[in-house]
Amino acid sequence: MDTAFIDALKRCDIESIKKIPKGDLHNHAPRGGNVRFIEKWAGVQIPRLNQKFLDLGDMQRWYEKNIRCHCQGIDGYEVRIKGAFQQAKDDGVTKLILSLGLGEEALYGSLPNFIKAISSIHKETAPEIEFIPELAFDRGSNVNSILNLCHEYFSMNFYKSIDICGNEFAQSIANFKPLYRLAKSYGIRLRAHVGEFGDADSVREAVEVLELDEVQHGISAANCKGIIRWLSDNNITLNICPASNIILSRTDDYKTHPIRTLFDGGVKVTINTDDMLIFDVSISQMFLDFYKANIFTVDELNDIRKNGLT
Ligand SMILES: [Zn+2]
């Protein structure tokens, strides 16, 4: 498999790269699909993204106006989830962590109905993919008000991971400590979005306070040698989404992307899609883009690919 991936990269053969197993560990499920899949289902033409965003609000407005409007209600939600599984399958993703926001289950009236629906979409669309459901909280959530609910949700043994997403500056990450302690007692893997917009210190603080196993993005850590070393020493994986970081104006391009600095500092990194339905850059395409931009060698990219499968 290693040789096949390396040879495919050297030939710049995207179709062969797509066939090689890879992980996608940072994927917001309702925005994880493929725009052409939605176009076909809705019978519409969606304009292709030809701009960078200033921030998450800017991105959300574009998404609502151009994509979300075509897939509303339960049918629109399900087609987007189906699209995420289909996209993963088409890109050779064999390990898929899909992040499902707290509250998405409301469409189904109860969590058991929601679990049934998501599980059957998985079974019908891509049963061969190892699917790991993740429960995501908005950074602005009132933690005390959702703590009891989460007790019930964690005990259902569906969610295997948790995440915090949204505005990194909405409130102190420490407010989530009781929630993360509870999740840890259920053996749930602990992740959170930090260091995408926040600074290097915010990455270390979140890992220490919440006892994170992995960080979503964490790219600002590249600005501090001490924190790079600390992440490496503590074996903390950063699930990085390079196309997302470029389109959200966190860095200019592949050449300036902090992933190289983090990798050189010994930090375990993975390459992921984040919001494929908006950014429209697959994992296979990002591997190829890094190779073409001469940022990583084929062997290094193969090591990063394998990080996503462990
Ligand atoms: Zn994300």
Side-chain angles (χ1 to χ4, degrees), residues 201-212:
D201 288 335
S202 73
V203 178
R204 180 167 178 166
E205 184 200 359
V207 174
E208 286 187 322
V209 171
L210 301 182
E211 299 180 47
L212 299 181

Side-chain angles (χ1 to χ4, degrees), residues 246-266:
I246 293 167
I247 296 168
L248 273 160
S249 310
R250 306 315 303 148
T251 187
D252 288 339
D253 51 30
Y254 286 100
K255 279 195 195 304
T256 56
H257 196 286
I259 192 171
R260 180 74 235 187
T261 305
L262 293 160
F263 182 90
D264 287 339

Side-chain angles (χ1 to χ4, degrees), residues 1-8 20 298-299 302-303 305-306:
M1 208 53 81
D2 293 0
T3 315
F5 180 70
I6 287 167
D7 288 349
I20 311 295
V298 286
D299 291 306
N302 193 40
D303 288 343
R305 177 185 72 83
K306 288 196 282 188

Side-chain angles (χ1 to χ4, degrees), residues 67-275:
I67 301 178
R68 180 79 168 79
C69 58
H70 298 300
C71 33
Q72 311 225 37
I74 206 160
D75 289 349
Y77 180 77
E78 288 195 351
V79 79
R80 284 180 285 136
I81 300 297
K82 192 173 179 187
F85 279 112
Q86 188 64 50
Q87 168 58 32
K89 183 176 178 164
D90 294 345
D91 201 31
V93 170
T94 52
K95 179 179 177 181
L96 177 65
I97 300 180
L98 279 185
S99 203
L100 303 153
L102 180 68
E104 287 172 27
E105 71 284 3
L107 275 171
Y108 294 83
S110 74
L111 185 62
N113 287 345
F114 177 69
I115 293 173
K116 212 167 141 190
I118 300 291
S119 303
S120 78
I121 294 171
H122 170 222
K123 223 174 270 173
E124 283 161 20
T125 314
E128 68 279 28
I129 290 180
E130 180 195 356
F131 163 46
I132 300 165
E134 177 174 89
L135 179 60
F137 309 101
D138 188 272
R139 180 76 177 251
S141 303
N142 180 331
V143 178
N144 286 333
S145 72
I146 57 177
L147 209 49
N148 276 340
L149 185 69
C150 286
H151 216 307
E152 182 194 330
Y153 280 23
F154 295 159
S155 65
M156 300 212 48
N157 199 27
F158 175 66
Y159 298 109
K160 302 289 188 287
S161 167
I162 57 169
D163 183 19
I164 300 168
C165 56
N167 176 8
E168 274 182 60
F169 307 107
Q171 64 176 313
S172 166
I173 199 89
N175 294 348
F176 287 85
K177 199 169 175 173
L179 198 50
Y180 273 64
R181 276 204 177 145
L182 180 67
K184 194 173 182 174
S185 74
Y186 281 94
I188 288 172
R189 200 149 176 89
L190 309 179
R191 300 184 171 87
H193 279 62
V194 276
E196 180 188 11
F197 294 90
D199 61 12
D201 288 335
S202 73
V203 178
R204 180 167 178 166
E205 184 200 359
V207 174
E208 286 187 322
V209 171
L210 301 182
E211 299 180 47
L212 299 181
D213 300 300
E214 298 172 31
V215 169
Q216 306 297 63
H217 294 296
I219 52 171
S220 297
N223 297 325
C224 175
K225 278 184 185 163
I227 292 177
I228 294 176
R229 200 176 319 115
W230 184 84
L231 288 168
S232 169
D233 289 347
N234 287 282
N235 201 26
I236 303 295
T237 300
L238 302 191
N239 296 318
I240 295 175
C241 310
S244 163
N245 299 143
I246 293 167
I247 296 168
L248 273 160
S249 310
R250 306 315 303 148
T251 187
D252 288 339
D253 51 30
Y254 286 100
K255 279 195 195 304
T256 56
H257 196 286
I259 192 171
R260 180 74 235 187
T261 305
L262 293 160
F263 182 90
D264 287 339
V267 179
K268 191 173 170 189
V269 296
T270 63
I271 289 179
N272 309 278
T273 56
D274 208 2
D275 300 291

